[in-house]
Amino acid sequence: MPYDPTDARSALPTATARKPAGAPTPASHVKWYELPPATTDGDTRTWYGRSQHLIIGYTDLVTPTGFTVPATHADECAVLMPDPGTSAIITIEGEATEIGGQTLTFIPPGAADVRLTGTGRVVTIFTARSGVAPGPAANEDAYTEPRPGVAPLVNWPDPVGGFQLRTYDLDVPGLADPPFRIFRCTSFMVNFTHPRTGPRDTTRMSPHTHDDFEQCSLIIDGEYTHHLRYAWTTDLSQWLDDEHEKCASPSLTIIPPPAEHTSQAIAQGVNHLIDIFSPPRADFSRMDGWVLNAADYPMPEDEATA
């Protein structure tokens, strides 16, 4: 993979992505800034987008709002609050916990009530198979059939000490280059990168591929160009053109395997992109010190020793 030698990802094991088994599938670009919200509550607006395994919500929080997770919910879900002016009260089995902004909280399986207050952005993450997302995904039509080449979602081992509400501070150091802050739960991984100021250095792009999982690239500030190149099959009629898709904020792009891809920050001000993967990435997880909450969420034995 052509990473710059100063990029920490250059230490990842080199692999060549396989060719797709059938016709390649295009990326899904969900430009929420061009779409009506899926739900409104007073002046608060929420949009949703999805991948094969996840439904991701983006809330522009102005007036208090919330949602309820039913007892039948069998997977963890998450509330990510990048702004200090937001807060949440999460109630589980009658016990209410108040959580401030600039945090990522994993909510255990089962019933929960989430109340959001303040002003700012809130991101919610649910597994698609749970069917508990509070609103419809704008790109639902892209997933009427399972995407080829995407591995099934198999949960990783239960967390140390059992399932419980777990909150992590986002205002912490992570990797220096790239500026990653990575957290995982049993069914997905969040890479809350540090925001960048100004356009990306175009001499240090990072085109790469993934064998069997989608990358959910969520833009919450600024503007990016997603560059994608699709693998060729023996059938020329199945070939897809290269993409150089400009996406502003807020937006969600789902990058399919095994498309070669890289994202280029292009706005003069703050650019902030968050990557989400389901299931958690084993390659990132094997790198010592990369996953900031690895002590809470163990890897599968076969992935740890691969």
Side-chain angles (χ1 to χ4, degrees), residues 1-303:
M1 298 182 185
Y3 293 114
D4 186 277
T6 62
D7 188 315
R9 288 170 294 180
S10 63
L12 292 170
T14 301
T16 301
R18 58 176 171 73
K19 295 292 190 293
T25 55
S28 180
H29 304 283
V30 188
K31 300 178 181 180
W32 288 317
Y33 54 89
E34 294 180 348
L35 300 172
T39 63
T40 59
D41 189 357
D43 293 326
T44 291
R45 301 173 298 162
T46 300
W47 295 260
Y48 295 93
R50 68 165 296 174
S51 65
Q52 183 122 307
H53 298 316
L54 298 177
I55 296 181
I56 297 170
Y58 176 92
T59 296
D60 180 11
L61 182 63
V62 179
T63 50
T65 191
F67 59 91
T68 298
V69 181
T72 55
H73 183 227
D75 289 319
E76 290 173 286
C77 58
V79 175
L80 186 156
M81 297 184 289
D83 298 319
T86 58
S87 64
I89 296 177
I90 301 177
T91 303
I92 299 173
E93 295 183 345
E95 181 178 348
T97 302
E98 186 168 0
I99 299 164
Q102 292 188 302
T103 55
L104 169 63
T105 297
F106 293 120
I107 301 173
D113 182 72
V114 180
R115 300 294 106 187
L116 303 172
T117 59
T119 57
R121 289 85 51 87
V122 177
V123 176
T124 51
I125 307 170
F126 306 88
T127 60
R129 67 188 177 191
S130 69
V132 300
N139 62 333
E140 189 67 39
D141 288 350
Y143 289 89
T144 53
E145 297 290 337
R147 290 290 184 107
V150 177
L153 174 54
V154 178
N155 282 5
W156 283 24
D158 290 356
V160 175
F163 288 103
Q164 57 188 278
L165 198 65
R166 298 175 187 267
T167 296
Y168 302 97
D169 187 356
L170 296 173
D171 188 19
V172 293
L175 297 179
D177 190 1
F180 288 174
R181 287 170 286 183
I182 303 172
F183 305 87
R184 69 174 183 242
C185 68
T186 54
S187 52
F188 54 88
M189 171 181 280
V190 177
N191 181 9
F192 188 80
T193 63
H194 286 274
R196 301 173 182 264
T197 300
R200 183 173 182 174
D201 180 353
T202 56
T203 67
R204 299 186 71 247
M205 303 300 290
S206 55
H208 61 282
T209 59
H210 306 307
D211 270 350
D212 59 1
F213 60 87
E214 294 174 305
Q215 177 170 315
C216 307
S217 291
L218 170 66
I219 302 173
I220 64 170
D221 280 306
E223 192 172 18
Y224 288 74
T225 299
H226 296 297
H227 302 284
L228 296 108
R229 174 163 289 178
Y230 297 94
W232 289 356
T233 70
T234 55
D235 184 348
L236 187 146
S237 68
Q238 296 179 346
W239 294 6
L240 298 178
D241 293 337
D242 290 353
E243 285 190 54
H244 305 279
E245 187 76 17
K246 185 180 293 186
C247 294
S249 54
S251 64
L252 177 69
T253 289
I254 311 300
I255 298 169
E260 188 170 9
H261 60 279
T262 188
S263 296
Q264 175 190 357
I266 58 176
Q268 292 299 319
V270 174
N271 296 288
H272 196 182
L273 182 149
I274 302 164
D275 283 329
I276 306 169
F277 308 94
S278 181
R281 286 184 62 162
D283 57 349
F284 280 6
S285 296
R286 293 189 198 105
M287 304 299 288
D288 187 38
W290 281 34
V291 178
L292 300 181
N293 67 336
D296 293 338
Y297 285 93
M299 291 181 68
E301 288 186 11
D302 59 337
E303 294 286 12

